[in-house]
Amino acid sequence: VLDEFRDQLAQARAMLSKGEAAAAAEVLEAMLHTKADHGQAWILLGEARLMLRQPSAAQHAFDRALALRGNDPAALVGLGMALLALAQFREAISSLTQTVSEAGGDRAILADAYRGLGTAWRRLGELDKAIRELRKAVAEDPADLEARAALAEALISDVGAVEEAARHLERATSTTPPPVLA
């Protein structure tokens, strides 16, 4: 990252980690007004837009990042999540599957990709595929309570997997507040 933009990116990341997505988006948009070809800034802007529940704007930001950075796994997973939010499940599966290929072993990106794949397959009515992908998400990030809750929900829908579902629900409800799905 060029020195002149390092501080702005760090500031935006810090804001995102504190849940201040609107403020982060403002910083990133100002930066992109000056340096429109900054791929990392587009990725962070896409993340901010997802947090703000603006999936169309997030999709645009991730598309711009991919045009600049090729098959960057962070941009691919972000695009997949934006497409998922837009109920474009087949397109989300394509982007998230490509993410898995490009992730290079990055467990955080893999966990997000598998969770997204599981959700997309579940929405398409493919229960076995959803369970398989959600199990992978939990294996990559055992602390992801949303993935555990989604896996438990899918398992409950699958006859005979109630005990495994109960274990995941127990873990998913171990925080206050627990994930809504749990």
Side-chain angles (χ1 to χ4, degrees):
V1 177
L2 299 174
D3 286 334
E4 65 184 290
F5 299 111
R6 185 174 298 152
D7 291 340
Q8 288 171 295
L9 286 176
Q11 179 185 16
R13 277 191 190 97
M15 289 174 176
L16 287 173
S17 71
K18 291 188 279 185
E20 299 170 359
E26 286 181 31
V27 168
L28 292 162
E29 286 172 348
M31 182 182 151
L32 287 165
H33 183 70
T34 304
K35 179 87 170 136
D37 64 346
H38 199 292
Q40 186 62 38
W42 283 110
I43 291 170
L44 291 175
L45 180 59
E47 291 174 11
R49 294 295 176 208
L50 279 177
M51 289 177 73
L52 292 167
R53 299 184 193 279
Q54 298 170 344
S56 293
Q59 179 186 7
H60 172 75
F62 290 123
D63 282 337
R64 291 289 304 266
L66 287 166
L68 293 166
R69 295 177 63 105
N71 290 332
D72 185 299
L76 285 168
V77 76
L79 177 61
M81 299 309 256
L83 292 167
L84 188 61
L86 291 167
Q88 297 177 15
F89 304 123
R90 298 260 178 227
E91 294 85 353
I93 288 169
S94 176
S95 181
L96 294 167
T97 300
Q98 188 175 1
T99 300
V100 171
S101 297
E102 299 290 335
D106 184 320
R107 294 190 78 179
I109 288 178
L110 287 170
D112 288 344
Y114 289 137
R115 183 174 15 88
L117 283 165
T119 302
W121 285 120
R122 182 73 175 107
R123 299 273 165 73
L124 290 171
E126 296 282 350
L127 189 58
D128 290 341
K129 291 178 182 178
I131 290 170
R132 180 189 69 226
E133 299 302 331
L134 290 167
R135 280 182 174 143
K136 291 177 190 176
V138 169
E140 292 296 337
D141 184 2
D144 185 344
L145 302 182
E146 294 288 339
R148 284 189 179 277
L151 176 56
E153 186 276 331
L155 288 166
I156 289 170
S157 299
D158 188 30
V159 178
V162 176
E163 288 181 28
E164 183 183 355
R167 285 193 312 273
H168 290 293
L169 279 175
E170 188 174 314
R171 288 279 302 272
T173 58
S174 65
T175 62
T176 303
V180 173
L181 185 59

